[in-house]
Amino acid sequence: MIHETAQIHPSAVIEDGVKIGANVKVGPFTYIATDVEIGEGTEVMSHVVIKGPTVIGKDNRIFPFAVIGEECQDKKYQGEATRLVIGDRNVIRESVQIHRGTTQDKGVTVVGHDNLLCVNAHIAHDVVVGNHTHIGNNSILGGHVTVGDYAGVMALSAIHPFCTVGAYSYIGGCSAVVQDVPPYVLAQGNHAKPFGLNIVGLQRNGFEKPELHAIRRAYKEIYRSGKTLAEVKLVLAEMAKDWPSVARFSEVLENSERGIIR
């Protein structure tokens, strides 16, 4: 079903079963396969490929040569009907690839709202990208990666499968991340190591000085106190009673499967 206000270029190929909302624009030579839903106000430019099952929200901008909802590169994938879900107001630049999930995990890849995915970024199967993130040019998010809200993964960086990039963290360019990056942390290198806190990013997102001081104390407990992680967890649990933002550190220490960068 194509809404009457949608603008579809005559050269675009739209298969049966596609749902296109109000005021959607589809450019020339774009191909949209069946079982795709595109929300109102989204612009799909020329030479884009979108396959399903895929749901794309409202007011997104998808630039030329992006490949959205293609089957994944996991050798275990056998053509199962896995999904891709993309939220609202994302900017998906040229040649970005976002693959559907696998039945070995959640069966769905998720991209939230208000994200910038730069040129040739690769979002692999079963990845979860939060909101307001910046995924830089030629960055790679391996399968099953989670990227928290307001995180930045800069150009040419690679995140190993099953790793977590915490909220408000910042991965410097050309980094190789093979373990979890805690929230708020500035990391860089091959293999990536912590280099303090993403203070500029936190300030830009409204964190005030008292909260920043609490986050800095928590960071020092993890990385500079010489305590075991078991001891650190106890300290952070007490701090989190007064500063809920510190609880993000506790969560990653409790739930990390690959360990945190050290």
Side-chain angles (χ1 to χ4, degrees), residues 48 96 109 123 237 247:
V48 174
V96 166
T109 301
I123 314 299

Side-chain angles (χ1 to χ4, degrees), residues 39-259:
E40 63 183 56
T42 288
E43 180 181 8
V44 182
M45 301 181 193
S46 68
H47 297 86
V48 174
V49 173
I50 305 178
K51 293 187 175 182
T54 292
V55 176
I56 300 173
K58 301 177 181 179
D59 299 316
N60 295 283
R61 301 185 71 209
I62 303 175
F63 281 71
F65 301 103
V67 179
I68 311 295
E70 184 58 271
E71 64 181 52
C72 68
Q73 300 176 120
D74 192 314
K75 290 183 177 180
K76 297 186 296 296
Y77 182 75
Q78 298 296 319
E80 299 90 349
T82 54
R83 299 185 300 130
L84 167 64
V85 177
I86 297 175
D88 303 332
R89 299 176 303 279
N90 296 289
V91 176
I92 301 172
R93 293 302 306 241
E94 298 87 341
S95 301
V96 166
Q97 312 107 42
I98 309 176
H99 290 169
R100 304 194 306 274
T102 64
T103 55
Q104 285 75 32
D105 194 357
K106 300 173 290 292
V108 59
T109 301
V110 178
V111 176
H113 309 300
D114 301 292
N115 299 290
L116 171 59
L117 310 183
C118 293
V119 170
N120 205 39
H122 177 72
I123 314 299
H125 59 88
D126 304 291
V127 165
V128 176
V129 176
N131 307 309
H132 301 280
T133 70
H134 181 162
I135 311 299
N137 293 358
N138 298 287
S139 293
I140 299 172
L141 306 184
H144 318 278
V145 162
T146 298
V147 179
D149 296 345
Y150 293 95
V153 178
M154 296 300 102
L156 297 165
S157 292
I159 314 300
H160 192 283
F162 295 98
C163 284
T164 294
V165 176
Y168 298 96
S169 62
Y170 185 96
I171 311 301
C174 302
S175 295
V177 176
V178 299
Q179 290 182 294
D180 293 345
V181 178
Y184 317 120
V185 168
L186 177 64
Q188 187 165 13
N190 183 6
H191 295 150
K193 297 179 180 180
F195 285 89
L197 293 169
N198 181 22
I199 295 296
V200 173
L202 293 173
Q203 290 172 335
R204 287 174 177 172
N205 286 289
F207 285 73
E208 301 292 343
K209 283 187 177 180
E211 190 170 20
L212 291 175
H213 290 324
I215 292 171
R216 185 178 285 112
R217 290 200 303 273
Y219 177 90
K220 289 180 178 179
E221 285 291 329
I222 297 171
Y223 287 109
R224 298 181 185 175
S225 68
K227 297 175 183 176
T228 66
L229 287 182
E231 293 171 328
V232 169
K233 289 178 184 179
L234 296 176
V235 176
L236 296 185
E238 286 298 314
M239 292 180 63
K241 294 177 181 178
D242 296 321
W243 299 101
S245 55
V246 172
R248 288 195 175 103
F249 281 123
S250 298
E251 291 170 4
V252 72
L253 293 181
E254 196 66 40
N255 300 320
S256 177
E257 297 181 3
R258 296 185 57 82

Side-chain angles (χ1 to χ4, degrees), residues 11-59:
S11 65
V13 176
I14 313 293
E15 291 189 348
D16 293 338
V18 174
K19 297 179 180 179
I20 294 180
N23 300 308
V24 169
K25 297 179 181 178
V26 178
F29 305 107
T30 280
Y31 169 65
I32 303 177
T34 189
D35 209 1
V36 171
E37 180 176 343
I38 302 176
E40 63 183 56
T42 288
E43 180 181 8
V44 182
M45 301 181 193
S46 68
H47 297 86
V48 174
V49 173
I50 305 178
K51 293 187 175 182
T54 292
V55 176
I56 300 173
K58 301 177 181 179
D59 299 316

